[in-house]
Amino acid sequence: PTRFACHLALVLDAVQQRYSAKCGAVDTATRAEVVDRYVDHLQAGGGQIKAVAYYTAQLPPEDGVRRYSQFLETLEEDRLRQEAMEAAEQFHLDWKALTVETVCRIRKERQQQLLPPVPEGRLSADEQKEVMLLRLMTLRPGARLHALVQCNASVRSFVGEGKLQAGLECVDAMPANTLDLCKSLIDDPSGEAGPFYKESLREFQCWGLYLNAMRNASLWHNHRDCVPREADHVSVVGAQAGQSLSREAAASLARVEQRRRQQKWDEQEKVKRQKALSQLQDVLTYPFGWLQDIEPLHSDALRDCTIKERAEQLPKLRRRCLPEVMQTLLGILQSTQQYDCMLELATVLADNAPTNGAEALLDSFSPDQLKGVLCALADGRAGYEQQRAMKA
């Protein structure tokens, strides 16, 4: 009965469109309600994807996006979600609006829920779903700017909750050609990408640098905690005689093996440390200022709730993340006794004056945080003088 009523409503609607002058008006609200009920029936029956897409596309555009977005969220497998997106495009559902609607709703629902903690380095089911939908948004090159905006929004949410791994997963979900593709879309004179999208592209680069810097710092700390132990007693069986080496020869071989392992560990530690230090310092010296806009957005743009939310979040996240980066950087330099680099860092900070309306780096620090930085730099100065005295 539901299917028959749905088809009858669609036929009457088609008749109205062709003979509207003769037939008079047909209640579109009733038609939408009948179709909506049939969509409910299809979803409850296991959700034939193409059928759901077809009948959802018969609803008014906003209702269709909302209903199909809810349907997308019920699909558990990436294969089914991909099939659903292809069906949406086939039946002319608003692809961009659909993905944006889905990602935004999942993010809001996740923020409102009190979810149990998950093991460090892993994502919850809702977080995985949010990242997966971002990947779906990148499948259409024309939607890449919209995907970038939603990626930034998800990253801001995750970083604000202290979930750096989830934020990194969002950044990694963007394909390698994202920056070049978005730049071409922004530079296209026939396009509609204004200052907001330019600043969104810059924000994405800021998040990528910060999250990768913190990841590499974490990898260095993990490596640092795994110092190679003294090699166990080594017993080598002679290839021909079939007899073990003497105790002295085995001990000598163990020392050689220990030196080899230590040398390999030292080389790996140096590479990881230099990579982390370079990226952490790049965050602090990011051109014009990390997580700051170059082009101020017009007041008209700030009426958009998404853009307004972003404008409120960025300064808070800057004040949260920059002291963390500074503390991490100084911690690595102190623990490895690179006091000369600490003095160079002090010079960099002194030269980092505000330009073009951007705030200075240290303006993001509270008085207590700034005091901690200055004390660490003073300790670095004392360590540097001590190293010089020892060499003399």
Side-chain angles (χ1 to χ4, degrees), residues 122-151:
R122 297 186 182 181
L123 275 62
S124 69
D126 283 345
E127 291 165 357
Q128 292 175 2
K129 189 180 295 185
E130 190 168 342
V131 173
M132 179 280 306
L133 286 166
L134 287 174
R135 288 197 180 95
L136 279 181
M137 292 185 71
T138 66
L139 296 178
R140 301 294 180 273
R144 193 65 60 85
L145 276 173
H146 298 274
L148 190 77
V149 170
Q150 293 306 316
C151 175

Side-chain angles (χ1 to χ4, degrees), residues 290-345:
W290 181 81
L291 218 60
Q292 291 194 137
D293 291 340
I294 293 179
E295 294 190 31
L297 302 179
H298 298 297
S299 57
D300 291 341
L302 293 176
R303 293 175 185 171
D304 185 306
C305 59
T306 301
I307 301 177
K308 185 177 180 181
E309 181 183 56
R310 173 184 178 274
E312 294 172 349
Q313 289 174 329
L314 290 187
K316 296 177 182 178
L317 291 168
R318 180 176 164 86
R319 289 192 293 270
R320 171 176 180 157
C321 296
L322 286 180
E324 178 188 26
V325 170
M326 179 69 78
Q327 183 180 11
T328 303
L329 177 58
L330 290 174
I332 295 177
L333 293 176
Q334 280 184 313
S335 62
T336 54
Q337 299 184 352
Q338 298 182 74
Y339 300 123
D340 55 335
C341 294
M342 294 180 71
L343 295 184
E344 292 175 4
L345 178 61

Side-chain angles (χ1 to χ4, degrees), residues 118-333:
V118 296
E120 185 177 357
R122 297 186 182 181
L123 275 62
S124 69
D126 283 345
E127 291 165 357
Q128 292 175 2
K129 189 180 295 185
E130 190 168 342
V131 173
M132 179 280 306
L133 286 166
L134 287 174
R135 288 197 180 95
L136 279 181
M137 292 185 71
T138 66
L139 296 178
R140 301 294 180 273
R144 193 65 60 85
L145 276 173
H146 298 274
L148 190 77
V149 170
Q150 293 306 316
C151 175
N152 288 340
S154 293
V155 172
R156 291 196 300 271
S157 172
F158 284 131
V159 172
E161 298 168 18
K163 300 176 179 178
L164 300 192
Q165 181 60 36
L168 190 59
E169 292 280 350
C170 292
V171 171
D172 290 344
M174 297 294 105
N177 67 341
T178 293
L179 293 179
D180 291 337
L181 179 57
C182 288
K183 286 177 182 177
S184 66
L185 292 172
I186 290 172
D187 295 336
D188 184 1
S190 62
E192 300 179 355
F196 172 65
Y197 289 106
K198 292 182 181 179
E199 297 309 330
S200 293
L201 182 60
R202 175 182 167 81
E203 181 191 352
F204 176 75
Q205 293 173 296
C206 288
W207 284 127
L209 179 59
Y210 164 76
L211 290 167
N212 280 291
M214 297 306 292
R215 170 170 61 182
N216 285 313
S218 177
L219 291 175
W220 175 82
H221 279 290
N222 293 338
H223 184 78
R224 180 89 169 175
D225 293 338
C226 298
V227 180
R229 297 173 298 180
E230 292 186 10
D232 297 331
H233 177 72
V234 180
S235 179
V236 180
V237 179
Q240 296 179 346
Q243 307 226 340
S244 297
L245 295 175
S246 65
R247 183 184 295 270
E248 292 78 9
S252 176
L253 188 58
R255 288 191 293 271
V256 171
E257 174 64 14
Q258 175 65 18
R259 285 196 296 271
R260 186 193 67 79
R261 291 170 59 192
Q262 184 66 46
Q263 182 179 8
K264 181 179 179 181
W265 183 90
D266 289 341
E267 291 172 354
Q268 292 174 340
E269 186 275 338
K270 183 178 180 181
V271 170
K272 293 179 185 294
R273 168 165 42 90
Q274 289 178 340
K275 188 174 184 179
L277 290 174
S278 174
Q279 290 183 332
L280 289 167
Q281 186 155 328
D282 285 345
V283 173
L284 298 176
T285 58
Y286 197 78
F288 183 83
W290 181 81
L291 218 60
Q292 291 194 137
D293 291 340
I294 293 179
E295 294 190 31
L297 302 179
H298 298 297
S299 57
D300 291 341
L302 293 176
R303 293 175 185 171
D304 185 306
C305 59
T306 301
I307 301 177
K308 185 177 180 181
E309 181 183 56
R310 173 184 178 274
E312 294 172 349
Q313 289 174 329
L314 290 187
K316 296 177 182 178
L317 291 168
R318 180 176 164 86
R319 289 192 293 270
R320 171 176 180 157
C321 296
L322 286 180
E324 178 188 26
V325 170
M326 179 69 78
Q327 183 180 11
T328 303
L329 177 58
L330 290 174
I332 295 177
L333 293 176

